[in-house]
Amino acid sequence: MSQSTNAFSAWYRPMRARHAGEEHRAASALELFFDLCFVAAVAQASSAFEHEIASGRAGHGLVGYALVFFAIWWAWMNFTWFASAYDTDDVPYRLLTLIQIIGALVMASGAAEALEHGDFTLITWGYVVMRLAMVSQWLRAACTDRERRRSALRYAVGILVLQVGWLVRLALPVGGSVAGSVGGGTVTFAVLAVLELAVPVWAERAEGTTWHPQHIAERYGLFTLIVLGESVMAAGLAVGAALDTHKDLGSVLPVALGGLLTVFALWWMYFAQDAPRRLRTQRTAMLWGYGHYVVFAAAAAVGAALAVNVAHVTGSRALTDVRAAAVYTVPVALFVTCVWLLHRRAARLSTAADVLPPAAALAVLCLTFTPFAVLGTGVVASLLVAGSVVLGRHGRADE
């Protein structure tokens, strides 16, 4: 973690592009604080998702969770890549980051309302606040970084126009709701989301920004770590509440053990990858960054799924055994598959090592139809890590 060299940040520094090969580049204290505030939004989304599943509205909750998490992830991702290229750590930069943090907390307060009642009003306003702060940052970069002015202006204009679109969506009859038909609010959300994803593609074609591969990999790794930690905390609270109420260690312990093994294995699998090696071109970096929507969303969903399964084994009958298991096995399989796909080319795995992750993901999905899905998933995930370590060592020995 890097810190400012002065006791107080400089009042103003010209916002010039940082060098992509800068040595010893690390996440700043402000970036870590930003991530912690964002996890509040992730926790609220995960908790509301758990409530929807426990109430028997898994389909509605899944759609709402996917939409809410997109807003959280996309706002976080845009700040992360901008900061990698233009972090000046002066007073204007810090204050604009504070505005984004406020927007993130507004989003957190509106997550439950969005998932449970389909009302996206509050979360949209929080998102717009964050994105308008990013417009200010890009305009500032455009003023001082002449070499990349066209790119910075494209970012600013694209983001600004789309924020108008998000606010107009709220005024539509079903704009603030996902409870309506697919032809209503969900479609307009999807259209605007696709356009949001297209802005960096369009902007970077003018003149690529100077993001730092090691810095980006560290930022994504830290956020993954925090999200996994939030999942452990959510599961721990659910286990504690179940034991306080039922005192039934026999039913809760296998779920708790399976959950711990799973999260530990997911952590191991993610951080065993050489992410900077994957971030060599703009195209591969963009695919890698976009693919983390599934990684982050799945990691956060694991915590909600653990809480649901703890409730299920201690008496809740809102879901069948298969559905309760699927709530857990599907996000784990998605995490494993996505991490494998994002890194397999750069990892240069042997055939045996390359087959392990998809085989493990398939095995986890098959466990959905067994009475020990959570514990079995933990065992399979642990075997995946063990197999990867053994095959990786043999691969290095053969080189």
Side-chain angles (χ1 to χ4, degrees), residues 355-375:
V355 169
L356 270 181
L362 181 60
V364 167
L365 291 176
C366 291
L367 287 168
T368 302
F369 306 98
T370 69
F372 46 84
V374 177
L375 181 58

Side-chain angles (χ1 to χ4, degrees), residues 246-278:
H246 298 276
K247 310 294 184 183
D248 188 2
L249 270 176
S251 60
V252 174
L253 189 58
V255 176
L257 178 59
L260 182 59
L261 287 175
T262 301
V263 174
F264 185 71
L266 296 184
W267 165 81
W268 192 312
M269 179 184 179
Y270 185 90
F271 286 96
Q273 312 302 323
D274 185 4
R277 189 175 180 179
R278 186 77 174 92

